[in-house]
Amino acid sequence: MQNKKPYYELYPSINCSGIILVDDVPVFKFLGKDTIDGLLDGSVPINHILLNSGKHRVTGKMYPRFGNKTLTENDGMSINFNVSNFDNWKGTKQKFLPEIKNPDAYFDKNNKITSKVNGLPYFEIGTEIEVELPFALDGWQNSIDLSKIKKEDLFQEAFRKFIEIHAIIKSHNAPMFLEISKEKEDLQTKAFYFDKQRKEEIRQSISNLFNENLKILPLNKQDLKIELWGYGKLVTLLRHDGTSAIQFKRDLKKGERNIEFDIKLHMRNKEKGLTII
């Protein structure tokens, strides 16, 4: 393999409400009140979701902006696909697949601009990618199929775990949060070829965030819904607008977005229960 440390990333642009998923796992979201206007784009690394070489599914789900019931001709989504060598990220980056996007807007018979998504409550784009990685990670692919557990019981178990995580974050206990996130940290360390220095930098950035002593949104059961991802192997709790259940509050009047914690749980075995991955 010429590229000894391949670094795969997506570059989505979402001009509506939307979610980008890789193998049924969200990697990029633009949801809630933030979607009233504007767009969101950015680079999204995906090695830690791919887990191993082979074929993988990328899906983009378009929804109406907050407060709207349908998509409009101004709404859109695109996804670009890049790969580079981790040791020379900027100098080696190249596309490994053509861009995908929703159909372009056009002039209708009345000479008005419209599009195929106009008036729809939902639209989806997607493709299959094939990647080559120098590792095969033990993530959630071999974990218990949570879709076989009664939904009400799974919600209760997930909520208990989220209450535990929420209490740790609320107390700004960074060492404890890092400890319960160790399984996730180990997976990402292998997926992105982190050395000790880079690993420590990430740990320090988390500690710095906790040291800001930001307020956390309350966690009330009635404000939450359960979501299964990863073809039934992952579970999370979200707020009803689709944003993360656990969030640090920022000054929305200044245009700052809340800091959302991406908490995904899986269950390697029933004895160990749900853990962060």
Side-chain angles (χ1 to χ4, degrees):
M1 182 190 295
Q2 291 183 342
N3 192 348
K4 293 183 178 180
K5 294 182 180 179
Y7 178 82
Y8 289 94
E9 60 181 349
L10 307 180
Y11 195 97
S13 179
I14 303 179
N15 191 27
C16 56
S17 293
I19 307 175
I20 310 295
L21 304 99
V22 175
D23 289 340
D24 194 43
V25 181
V27 297
F28 194 75
K29 298 189 295 182
F30 191 38
L31 299 168
K33 292 182 179 179
D34 289 337
T35 70
I36 290 176
D37 53 32
L39 59 83
L40 187 67
D41 60 5
S43 178
V44 185
I46 59 172
N47 281 25
H48 63 307
I49 304 297
L50 298 172
L51 300 177
N52 50 47
S53 300
K55 295 181 179 180
H56 301 268
R57 186 70 188 173
V58 176
T59 306
K61 299 185 176 184
M62 296 173 58
Y63 302 101
R65 291 181 183 273
F66 185 84
N68 292 352
K69 294 184 178 180
T70 60
L71 294 162
T72 75
E73 66 270 14
N74 297 316
D75 294 331
M77 174 184 287
S78 65
I79 307 173
N80 282 282
F81 304 85
N82 301 318
V83 63
S84 58
N85 187 311
F86 183 80
D87 290 331
N88 185 13
W89 176 68
K90 291 185 178 180
T92 60
K93 183 184 293 189
Q94 59 183 341
K95 288 188 176 183
F96 70 93
L97 201 72
E99 177 191 62
I100 61 171
K101 62 180 181 178
N102 62 285
D104 290 332
Y106 60 93
F107 287 98
D108 63 15
K109 60 182 180 180
N110 297 317
N111 208 33
K112 292 182 62 177
I113 294 180
T114 188
S115 75
K116 290 186 177 180
V117 306
N118 189 33
L120 298 178
Y122 170 78
F123 193 82
E124 184 175 302
I125 62 175
T127 190
E128 187 176 71
I129 63 174
E130 188 164 6
V131 305
E132 189 174 358
L133 292 165
F135 53 71
L137 300 179
D138 181 18
W140 51 87
Q141 68 271 58
N142 298 316
S143 299
I144 290 175
D145 185 352
L146 301 173
S147 66
K148 295 181 179 180
I149 300 176
K150 190 176 179 181
K151 193 170 184 179
E152 293 79 4
D153 294 339
L154 183 60
F155 179 90
Q156 293 296 335
E157 190 164 354
F159 184 68
R160 283 194 293 270
K161 190 66 180 182
F162 266 72
I163 286 291
E164 174 190 326
I165 298 167
H166 185 269
I168 291 170
I169 296 174
K170 186 177 181 179
S171 65
H172 302 97
N173 190 337
M176 181 60 71
F177 180 74
L178 288 167
E179 179 61 30
I180 65 171
S181 304
K182 192 175 187 307
E183 193 175 1
K184 177 179 180 179
E185 179 188 58
D186 289 346
L187 186 146
Q188 294 188 344
T189 296
K190 295 172 184 175
F192 297 117
Y193 322 106
F194 292 157
D195 56 20
K196 290 183 179 180
Q197 180 180 347
R198 179 57 179 151
K199 187 174 178 179
E200 184 55 38
E201 287 173 352
I202 294 171
R203 283 175 158 253
Q204 189 59 53
S205 68
I206 293 173
S207 295
N208 291 343
L209 173 62
F210 276 54
N211 287 338
E212 290 184 37
N213 290 320
L214 297 170
K215 291 184 178 180
I216 193 170
L217 292 184
L219 198 64
N220 299 313
K221 190 177 293 186
Q222 65 270 21
D223 297 332
L224 305 174
K225 62 180 180 179
I226 190 171
E227 288 284 347
L228 283 173
W229 293 331
Y231 307 118
K233 301 298 181 70
L234 295 169
V235 65
T236 193
L237 298 180
L238 301 175
R239 296 182 180 270
H240 291 301
D241 63 1
T243 60
S244 299
I246 299 179
Q247 302 181 35
F248 273 146
K249 294 173 67 175
R250 300 300 294 268
D251 193 338
L252 301 181
K253 293 181 180 179
K254 293 182 179 179
E256 297 175 339
R257 301 179 65 198
N258 284 349
I259 298 173
E260 300 185 32
F261 285 81
D262 177 25
I263 305 293
K264 297 188 288 287
L265 307 175
H266 76 141
M267 187 183 295
R268 289 198 182 277
N269 54 66
K270 291 185 178 180
E271 290 74 27
K272 191 172 184 179
L274 292 172
T275 58
I276 296 176
I277 184 67

